[in-house]
Amino acid sequence: MIPFKLTDKLVAEIEQLIENQEGKKLTSLLEDYHYADIAEIINDLNEDEATYLIKLLDSDKTSDILTELDEDVREAILNNLSAKEIAGELDELDTDDAADIIAELPEEIVQEVISEIGDKEHAKDIVDLLRYDENSAGGLMAKELVKVNENWTVTRCVREMRSQAENVTRVHSIYVVDNDDKLKGRLSLKDLLTVSTETHIKEIYIPKVDSVNVTENPEEVAKIMSKYDLEAIPVIDEIGRLVGRITIDDIVDVIREEAEKDYQLAAGISQDVEADDSIWDLTRARLPWLILGLFGGLGAAAIMGGFEEMISKHAVLFFFTPLIAAMAGNVGVQSSAIIVQGLANDDFKGSISNRLIKEMLLALLNGVILAAVLLIFTWFWKGHFYTALAISISLVVVIVVAGIIGTFVPLFLHKRGIDPAIATGPFITTSNDIFGILIYFLIAKFVLGI
Amino acid sequence: MIPFKLTDKLVAEIEQLIENQEGKKLTSLLEDYHYADIAEIINDLNEDEATYLIKLLDSDKTSDILTELDEDVREAILNNLSAKEIAGELDELDTDDAADIIAELPEEIVQEVISEIGDKEHAKDIVDLLRYDENSAGGLMAKELVKVNENWTVTRCVREMRSQAENVTRVHSIYVVDNDDKLKGRLSLKDLLTVSTETHIKEIYIPKVDSVNVTENPEEVAKIMSKYDLEAIPVIDEIGRLVGRITIDDIVDVIREEAEKDYQLAAGISQDVEADDSIWDLTRARLPWLILGLFGGLGAAAIMGGFEEMISKHAVLFFFTPLIAAMAGNVGVQSSAIIVQGLANDDFKGSISNRLIKEMLLALLNGVILAAVLLIFTWFWKGHFYTALAISISLVVVIVVAGIIGTFVPLFLHKRGIDPAIATGPFITTSNDIFGILIYFLIAKFVLGI
């Protein structure tokens, strides 16, 4: 397949057709494009052009396009649609996507939009989904699934399944419930087709089925589904009733978003932003960490000011502060990154103290190697062995302390229920800068006997 | 469902049972556990215990367990198995998993293992897969799929499909090929069941099907599958023949690994390591970046040495070098992270020069805000307006330059076909440290008229 590539030429062509109101040409041009590709095109158009296209194309296509658009573009387009038009789009969507769109609408029109949805069962399911926290299995699941009652016969089961399956894009599994709608197990299609039509489901279903609670964290759901290689998982409520189903495509998005968030936090970006966001959004995401760094730097300056009397005799010590600070920062970030990843993947064995001891040994090994290099370089360069020794000893100690801080802080935050990813990046580098410089001057003072 | 939690108690119980050679109790204890959970348990056992368990349990379970084990544990266990035993495990696995395991075996036993595989077709498929680069669609795909010839009748098609489906865990799609095995399209099960049994497949198949080339990069495959919400995608060779199929569970692993690699690179960890790896492995992954940082620090020290004559009159300038270096590093990491993510997600519009101008404006805005804070603080603290002014002006310039470097370097690497993620973290902080300090002292020298 030739992958779709958004070109300026294509966008210009479409803009021209929109300007000339050539609806027919547009429809036939866009007919062969996948909705995800059309969404990319529309993200590049202005509000009026985008609205024109959405109104022009068929609602079975535009509904899917809407789910793929950037949030701000979607918001602008929906603002230009009537409640009835929005409801028409929601009618075409699965309940989870429809609920996500409703959650973004201004409150005053939500009720009107819902009342305009043609299929009342569909509307009811969507309203059900609005109850759940966005950040839970309930907020992720769809109501579309195939379920059968354990008391049904095979004949009835097949009949009911056929009508349910019409609303479900991918069936994946047939879930079995009891009269109270409690999840009991799942059904193998093969078993269903090889037994007598009068058999009750109760006698043939598989009682083992993985499920998650409706309040479960999406990241936990992602872990379970990818660990057990599941393509869909049923969601149950507090008393075990089957309330929805999560499919793997939603989980792929959860994994991506989580990874991006962690990456941005490690880089000192505190909100979900993209390169194409406005300068103002990007500033708000970046400035807080820079201010933290600024105050860290002021703290470091204050510490160095406290050792001012050393400057006349040992100016060279001051030349090495950026080196010490950088090494403390780098080691701290390395250690915390390993811990944050280990916590995210649940692949930790052993206790916190073992972890700290290991990190200390690791830092010591790295520190001694680096200090040896530094000692030789500085000694030859500056010709003063004791200064070189003082700097090298400090480096070892600073690296070990930095490693311990980098290990301890994320573990501590995790224990307190705070996302440890927040502790990586600027937070660790800034605190390690300050500790590193303080330790450095104290040790240098001691070794040089000032 | 109650999620499985690996406890010391469970491991101790299993170790005790192994010591007492209580095979029956072990089998019945482990019967209800998922293979992914048993793999977690085995990761915690020593080599002999692990081998004992693998030999004890049924090969339809142990083969799946093997695919989930940590690589070093798996290697140790396979070392203790005969070629025949290994072949027995491979017989139970899908071709892609089997090929992955063979790729890890010592070369001298590969041929023997393959010759011991019972199902010769299966062995042939596995050998086919060994040809492909691990880092390509071919290295990711499995040979298991359901395909039918366009010239078959519906009757023959159903018969052949039935026998093929036995080897395929999840069917997802039925692919249609011509006499040369070239991929022509896919078949809807519904269409198949509603036409006359003598119809030829040619007349009813859907000619539109997404596919990827066998040499395609796994990350590109992941992008395509998640963009178009595909749960499986057929793989074709250079002349369009259907050679395999990639399923979404493999893609989930690709996305996870890619995210972890980028995260580690940003944190200055150059190899795929985990918190539980040996100190030696962790050192090898971390030391290179630290050495880079060390030489960066020596460079910074050399630059400061060049401004030594300023130290007597303006010692306070030296106190602010860690602040300048830290800010340069933070801004550089923020800029590069946004670019790396944008490149990974393909969501860039506009040219490189626009990108640089935007980043410059952004850095300028952040820089001016931070410089204003710094100016007020330093002025009040040190009481010397011109020194404070020199430091603040430098900060603005340093931040702008850092932002430009952070933007330019990953874009440049990407153009050259090098993974831009390598440019984040220590690389950017180190180079920005040096540039930042140099710019700082040059500007300070100019402003203070020294």
Side-chain angles (χ1 to χ4, degrees):
Chain A
M1 104 193 249
I2 301 149
F4 170 78
K5 188 82 199 143
L6 185 66
T7 60
D8 290 344
K9 190 165 153 277
L10 177 64
V11 174
E13 185 186 348
I14 287 169
E15 284 181 323
Q16 190 59 53
L17 288 173
I18 293 174
E19 203 188 315
N20 301 344
Q21 308 253 333
E22 308 211 50
K24 271 209 184 118
K25 276 195 186 162
L26 275 168
T27 327
S28 78
L29 172 68
L30 292 173
E31 198 169 30
D32 285 339
Y33 286 102
H34 190 281
Y35 61 80
D37 297 329
I38 300 179
E40 274 189 27
I41 297 170
I42 291 183
N43 279 334
D44 256 18
L45 302 178
N46 70 35
E47 189 180 325
D48 291 337
E49 294 166 344
T51 309
Y52 176 85
L53 264 193
I54 292 289
K55 289 194 179 187
L56 176 75
L57 300 174
D58 237 21
S59 73
D60 64 334
K61 200 156 195 171
T62 53
S63 58
D64 286 327
I65 295 173
L66 281 174
T67 65
E68 299 282 333
L69 287 174
D70 285 349
E71 204 179 316
D72 49 336
V73 177
R74 179 168 54 236
E75 197 189 314
I77 293 174
L78 291 178
N79 257 334
N80 294 329
L81 300 186
S82 69
K84 203 179 161 73
E85 283 169 323
I86 298 174
E89 304 286 353
L90 300 183
D91 248 332
E92 301 283 341
L93 287 175
D94 278 354
T95 47
D96 53 342
D97 293 326
D100 289 346
I101 286 185
I102 287 189
E104 287 176 16
L105 291 177
E107 235 173 275
E108 60 272 19
I109 71 158
V110 166
Q111 207 160 351
E112 200 187 338
V113 169
I114 293 172
S115 70
E116 292 278 0
I117 294 175
D119 178 345
K120 292 308 159 198
E121 270 302 304
H122 192 57
K124 195 184 124 293
D125 283 344
I126 295 171
V127 171
D128 271 356
L129 289 182
L130 292 176
R131 280 200 300 124
Y132 296 104
D133 180 5
E134 199 192 345
N135 200 30
S136 71
L140 212 59
M141 70 187 186
K143 299 297 257 182
E144 283 84 2
L145 51 81
V146 175
K147 71 176 175 190
V148 299
N149 190 304
E150 60 173 348
N151 298 313
W152 292 350
T153 60
V154 165
T155 314
R156 171 150 185 214
C157 174
V158 169
R159 198 176 58 228
E160 303 260 3
M161 272 170 54
R162 202 165 284 155
S163 79
Q164 290 179 29
E166 273 180 19
N167 299 315
V168 181
T169 323
R170 289 158 184 154
V171 171
H172 290 295
S173 280
I174 304 154
Y175 302 117
V176 178
V177 296
D178 65 11
N179 287 334
D180 296 328
D181 227 16
K182 284 191 185 151
L183 180 66
K184 302 291 282 184
R186 65 198 160 85
L187 202 57
S188 143
L189 207 54
K190 213 199 270 168
D191 289 345
L192 193 66
L193 300 176
T194 52
V195 296
S196 113
T197 54
E198 284 315 299
T199 315
H200 281 85
I201 300 303
K202 202 182 281 192
E203 297 160 41
I204 55 168
Y205 79 81
I206 303 153
K208 235 187 126 169
V209 59
D210 294 316
S211 64
V212 291
N213 198 288
V214 76
T215 56
E216 187 64 274
N217 186 311
E219 289 163 39
E220 202 51 47
V221 180
K223 258 184 225 167
I224 291 170
M225 290 185 70
S226 72
K227 179 174 173 186
Y228 297 127
D229 277 344
L230 304 174
E231 295 189 341
I233 196 164
V235 181
I236 55 175
D237 71 4
E238 289 76 358
I239 54 171
R241 287 178 304 187
L242 178 62
V243 289
R245 184 187 68 153
I246 295 173
T247 48
I248 187 78
D249 51 321
D250 298 317
I251 290 306
V252 168
D253 296 338
V254 169
I255 293 172
R256 268 194 199 282
E257 280 163 25
E258 183 56 21
E260 290 191 0
K261 200 193 74 197
D262 282 0
Y263 187 78
Q264 295 200 338
L265 279 175
I269 302 167
S270 57
Q271 279 166 49
D272 185 22
V273 286
E274 281 167 27
D276 286 315
D277 283 350
S278 73
I279 288 191
W280 172 239
D281 282 339
L282 286 166
T283 299
R284 274 197 312 171
R286 290 165 59 162
L287 198 57
W289 290 112
L290 295 178
I291 288 177
L292 176 74
L294 187 74
F295 283 99
L298 287 171
I303 290 171
M304 289 167 75
F307 292 92
E308 195 167 359
E309 81 278 13
M310 285 163 67
I311 215 166
S312 54
K313 264 178 80 179
H314 296 283
V316 66
L317 287 180
F318 286 80
F319 303 163
F320 282 88
T321 41
L323 184 148
I324 297 285
M327 299 308 281
N330 285 348
V331 169
V333 169
Q334 287 181 336
S335 307
S336 60
I338 293 266
I339 299 293
V340 167
Q341 248 178 9
L343 289 171
N345 294 337
D346 266 347
D347 59 5
F348 268 141
K349 306 159 195 166
S351 63
I352 289 196
S353 54
N354 281 343
R355 180 71 39 199
L356 282 172
I357 289 169
K358 182 173 182 184
E359 182 58 37
M360 230 175 68
L361 288 175
L362 179 62
L364 195 64
L365 179 61
N366 281 328
V368 168
I369 296 171
L370 294 167
V373 176
L374 181 65
L375 180 68
I376 293 164
F377 253 81
T378 316
W379 186 12
F380 277 92
W381 180 30
K382 291 285 159 188
H384 192 311
F385 178 73
Y386 280 100
T387 313
L389 186 68
I391 296 170
S392 300
I393 292 176
S394 304
L395 184 66
V396 178
V397 179
V398 165
I399 285 179
V400 171
V401 173
I404 293 173
I405 294 177
T407 308
F408 181 74
V409 172
L411 286 174
F412 174 78
L413 290 180
H414 180 70
K415 277 241 154 176
R416 298 259 145 183
I418 302 168
D419 183 355
I422 204 156
T424 52
F427 183 85
I428 286 288
T429 44
T430 303
S431 47
N432 280 2
D433 271 13
I434 297 182
F435 279 112
I437 289 173
L438 181 61
I439 292 168
Y440 169 56
F441 278 101
L442 286 175
I443 291 180
K445 196 172 171 153
F446 180 76
V447 172
L448 296 173
I450 313 166
Chain B
M1 98 192 253
I2 301 148
F4 171 77
K5 187 81 202 149
L6 185 66
T7 61
D8 290 344
K9 192 167 153 274
L10 178 64
V11 174
E13 183 186 349
I14 286 169
E15 284 181 323
Q16 190 59 53
L17 287 173
I18 294 174
E19 205 189 313
N20 301 341
Q21 310 252 332
E22 305 210 53
K24 269 206 186 119
K25 276 195 187 160
L26 274 167
T27 326
S28 75
L29 172 67
L30 292 174
E31 199 169 25
D32 286 337
Y33 286 101
H34 190 280
Y35 61 80
D37 297 328
I38 301 180
E40 273 189 27
I41 297 170
I42 291 182
N43 280 334
D44 255 20
L45 301 178
N46 70 36
E47 187 179 328
D48 292 337
E49 293 166 344
T51 310
Y52 176 85
L53 264 194
I54 291 290
K55 289 193 177 186
L56 175 75
L57 299 175
D58 240 21
S59 74
D60 63 334
K61 199 155 195 173
T62 54
S63 57
D64 286 327
I65 294 173
L66 281 173
T67 63
E68 300 282 333
L69 287 174
D70 285 350
E71 200 177 319
D72 51 335
V73 177
R74 178 168 55 235
E75 195 190 317
I77 294 174
L78 291 177
N79 257 333
N80 294 328
L81 298 186
S82 70
K84 202 180 164 69
E85 283 168 323
I86 297 174
E89 304 285 354
L90 300 184
D91 249 330
E92 300 283 341
L93 287 175
D94 277 355
T95 47
D96 54 342
D97 294 325
D100 289 345
I101 287 186
I102 287 189
E104 287 176 16
L105 290 177
E107 235 173 277
E108 61 272 19
I109 71 159
V110 167
Q111 207 160 352
E112 201 188 340
V113 169
I114 292 172
S115 70
E116 292 279 359
I117 293 176
D119 178 345
K120 293 306 159 199
E121 272 300 307
H122 192 57
K124 195 186 124 289
D125 283 343
I126 294 170
V127 170
D128 271 355
L129 289 182
L130 291 176
R131 280 198 301 124
Y132 296 104
D133 180 3
E134 200 191 342
N135 200 30
S136 71
L140 211 59
M141 71 187 185
K143 298 297 255 182
E144 284 83 3
L145 52 80
V146 176
K147 69 174 177 190
V148 299
N149 190 304
E150 59 172 349
N151 297 313
W152 290 350
T153 59
V154 166
T155 315
R156 173 153 182 212
C157 174
V158 170
R159 197 175 59 230
E160 303 259 4
M161 271 171 54
R162 202 167 282 156
S163 80
Q164 290 179 30
E166 273 181 19
N167 300 315
V168 182
T169 324
R170 288 157 185 155
V171 172
H172 290 294
S173 280
I174 303 153
Y175 302 119
V176 179
V177 296
D178 64 13
N179 286 334
D180 296 328
D181 228 15
K182 284 188 187 154
L183 180 65
K184 303 290 281 185
R186 65 198 160 84
L187 202 55
S188 143
L189 206 54
K190 212 198 271 169
D191 289 345
L192 195 66
L193 300 177
T194 51
V195 297
S196 114
T197 54
E198 284 314 299
T199 315
H200 282 83
I201 299 303
K202 202 182 282 191
E203 298 159 40
I204 54 168
Y205 77 80
I206 304 154
K208 231 184 130 172
V209 59
D210 293 315
S211 63
V212 290
N213 197 287
V214 76
T215 56
E216 185 65 273
N217 187 313
E219 290 162 40
E220 202 51 48
V221 180
K223 257 183 228 168
I224 292 170
M225 289 184 72
S226 71
K227 177 174 173 187
Y228 298 126
D229 277 346
L230 305 173
E231 296 190 341
I233 195 163
V235 182
I236 56 175
D237 70 5
E238 288 76 358
I239 54 170
R241 286 178 306 189
L242 178 62
V243 289
R245 184 187 69 154
I246 295 173
T247 48
I248 187 80
D249 51 320
D250 299 317
I251 290 306
V252 169
D253 296 338
V254 169
I255 293 172
R256 269 193 197 282
E257 280 164 27
E258 183 57 22
E260 291 192 0
K261 201 194 73 196
D262 282 358
Y263 187 78
Q264 294 199 339
L265 279 175
I269 302 167
S270 57
Q271 280 167 47
D272 186 22
V273 286
E274 281 166 28
D276 286 315
D277 283 351
S278 73
I279 288 190
W280 172 238
D281 283 337
L282 285 167
T283 298
R284 273 199 310 173
R286 290 166 57 162
L287 198 56
W289 290 114
L290 295 178
I291 287 177
L292 175 74
L294 187 74
F295 282 100
L298 286 170
I303 290 170
M304 290 168 73
F307 292 90
E308 196 168 358
E309 82 277 11
M310 283 164 69
I311 216 166
S312 54
K313 264 181 81 181
H314 295 283
V316 66
L317 287 179
F318 286 79
F319 303 161
F320 281 88
T321 41
L323 183 150
I324 296 286
M327 297 310 281
N330 285 349
V331 169
V333 168
Q334 287 180 336
S335 308
S336 60
I338 292 267
I339 298 295
V340 167
Q341 250 179 8
L343 290 170
N345 295 338
D346 267 347
D347 58 6
F348 268 142
K349 307 161 196 165
S351 65
I352 289 197
S353 53
N354 282 343
R355 181 69 41 199
L356 282 172
I357 289 168
K358 181 173 181 183
E359 182 57 36
M360 232 176 66
L361 288 174
L362 179 62
L364 196 63
L365 178 62
N366 281 328
V368 168
I369 295 172
L370 293 165
V373 176
L374 183 65
L375 181 69
I376 292 165
F377 253 80
T378 316
W379 186 11
F380 277 93
W381 179 30
K382 291 286 161 188
H384 192 309
F385 178 73
Y386 280 99
T387 314
L389 185 68
I391 298 171
S392 298
I393 291 175
S394 305
L395 184 66
V396 177
V397 179
V398 164
I399 285 179
V400 171
V401 173
I404 293 173
I405 294 176
T407 307
F408 180 74
V409 172
L411 286 175
F412 174 78
L413 291 179
H414 180 70
K415 277 240 154 173
R416 297 260 144 181
I418 301 168
D419 182 354
I422 205 156
T424 52
F427 182 85
I428 286 287
T429 43
T430 303
S431 47
N432 280 2
D433 272 12
I434 296 183
F435 280 111
I437 289 172
L438 181 61
I439 292 167
Y440 169 57
F441 278 102
L442 287 175
I443 290 179
K445 200 174 166 149
F446 179 76
V447 172
L448 296 173
I450 312 167

